[in-house]
């Protein structure tokens, strides 16, 4: 019973590099989302998806791309990393009307 | 515009004391108000939640008080323990077409001294 799995756990990128943060859930949840967590700012929504093939922007979408080709996977792409994207990233999933489950997070540093 | 405002930002309580964290919201379409607990290096985990048709919900030492007319809700931790030291987030969830989008407060870092 894995729940929500995020990879990698840690990543260091150079400015301008691109990368994909992986998120997978095995609970058949419709709703998946990506948050970033910065000190004193709480959890801010980047992008979310209400089902395969459907995505939408959250509060802070600039510089990030998502797609949802399957129910299980919701990868987050950084197109050209910037130091302002240094953060801890969390993926979450939930079924309609139920609690959200979070992954363990990816700590990203952009130098 | 922040949809859920949380206070205080940090809280220090002695073991055995009561911890109180407050949240206020604007969006009357919120249909569910969860509290999440997060330990260092971990993802947030659901602690307790309430729906707006209920004024109070208690689970063990944790109680949510909900005031719909004032658009406020609070978490009370009775007999606080060092193991409760964590960051707590309140949230409101919008229903309907957004299928459970959560709006989080900025978090409260709770430290319980032994």
């Amino acid at each position: 019973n894995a729940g929500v799995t995020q990879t990698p756990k840690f990543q260091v990128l150079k400015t301008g590099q691109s990368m994909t943060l992986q998120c997978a859930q095995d609970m058949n949840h419709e709703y998946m989302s990506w948050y970033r967590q910065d000190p004193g700012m709480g959890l801010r929504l980047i992008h979310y998806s209400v089902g395969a093939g459907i995505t939408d922007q959250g509060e802070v979408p600039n510089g990030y791309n998502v797609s949802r080709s399957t129910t299980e996977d919701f990868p987050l792409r950084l197109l050209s990393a910037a130091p302002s994207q240094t953060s801890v990233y969390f993926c979450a999933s939930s079924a309609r009307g139920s609690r959200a489950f979070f992954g363990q997070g990816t700590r990203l540093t952009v130098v | 515009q922040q949809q859920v405002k949380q206070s205080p930002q940090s809280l220090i309580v002695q073991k055995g004391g009561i911890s109180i964290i407050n949240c206020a919201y604007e969006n009357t379409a919120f249909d569910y108000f969860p509290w999440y607990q997060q330990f260092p290096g971990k993802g947030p985990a659901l602690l307790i939640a309430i729906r707006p048709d209920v004024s109070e919900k208690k689970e063990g030492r944790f109680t949510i008080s909900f005031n719909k007319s004032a658009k406020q809700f609070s978490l009370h931790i009775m007999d606080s323990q060092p193991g409760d030291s964590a960051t707590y987030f309140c949230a409101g969830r919008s229903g309907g077409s957004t299928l459970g989008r959560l709006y989080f407060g900025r978090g409260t870092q709770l430290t319980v001294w032994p």
Side-chain angles (χ1 to χ4, degrees):
Chain A
N1 192 9
V4 179
T5 302
Q6 288 184 237
T7 54
K9 287 189 168 51
F10 301 94
Q11 183 71 49
V12 178
L13 284 181
K14 293 182 179 177
T15 297
Q17 285 185 315
S18 62
M19 80 158 293
T20 298
L21 279 61
Q22 301 291 345
C23 176
Q25 52 93 7
D26 61 358
M27 298 172 281
N28 201 33
H29 285 168
E30 301 158 279
Y31 186 87
M32 295 186 74
S33 51
W34 277 101
Y35 295 86
R36 60 177 289 173
Q37 183 176 20
D38 303 291
M41 298 300 292
L43 292 153
R44 292 184 293 171
L45 183 65
I46 304 171
H47 284 286
Y48 65 98
S49 169
V50 298
I54 307 169
T55 64
D56 205 347
Q57 296 181 352
E59 283 178 80
V60 288
N62 292 340
Y64 307 95
N65 228 348
V66 292
S67 59
R68 183 103 178 265
S69 56
T70 67
T71 299
E72 294 78 21
D73 301 298
F74 190 44
L76 178 72
R77 296 182 189 84
L78 278 70
L79 309 172
S80 176
S84 61
Q85 294 179 304
T86 293
S87 187
V88 182
Y89 292 84
F90 288 100
C91 178
S93 76
S94 63
R96 184 183 292 273
S98 91
R99 58 182 282 189
F101 292 81
F102 283 80
Q104 293 291 290
T106 296
R107 186 173 294 273
L108 175 68
T109 303
V110 182
V111 297
Chain B
Q1 180 189 356
Q2 198 180 358
Q3 298 224 19
V4 178
K5 295 183 180 178
Q6 182 173 348
S7 62
Q9 191 172 347
S10 64
L11 182 60
I12 300 174
V13 173
Q14 275 215 292
K15 179 182 175 182
I18 302 173
S19 304
I20 302 174
I21 304 170
N22 299 300
C23 287
Y25 66 97
E26 288 298 323
N27 189 342
T28 55
F30 286 163
D31 64 353
Y32 174 73
F33 298 87
W35 285 88
Y36 281 82
Q37 181 187 54
Q38 184 184 30
F39 293 106
K42 302 292 185 184
L46 181 67
L47 180 65
I48 187 173
I50 197 167
R51 297 194 184 275
D53 53 349
V54 176
S55 61
E56 184 176 282
K57 184 171 182 181
K58 184 175 181 179
E59 289 184 1
R61 296 184 294 108
F62 301 91
T63 300
I64 301 177
S65 297
F66 190 85
N67 185 331
K68 188 173 182 178
S69 60
K71 293 189 284 187
Q72 295 175 347
F73 59 111
S74 59
L75 176 69
H76 295 238
I77 306 174
M78 310 300 288
D79 187 26
S80 300
Q81 299 296 312
D84 297 330
S85 297
T87 300
Y88 293 80
F89 294 98
C90 62
R93 187 184 70 189
S94 61
S97 62
T98 53
L99 190 66
R101 177 171 170 168
L102 286 170
Y103 294 84
F104 285 91
R106 292 190 173 180
T108 296
Q109 188 161 357
L110 172 65
T111 303
V112 182
W113 289 100

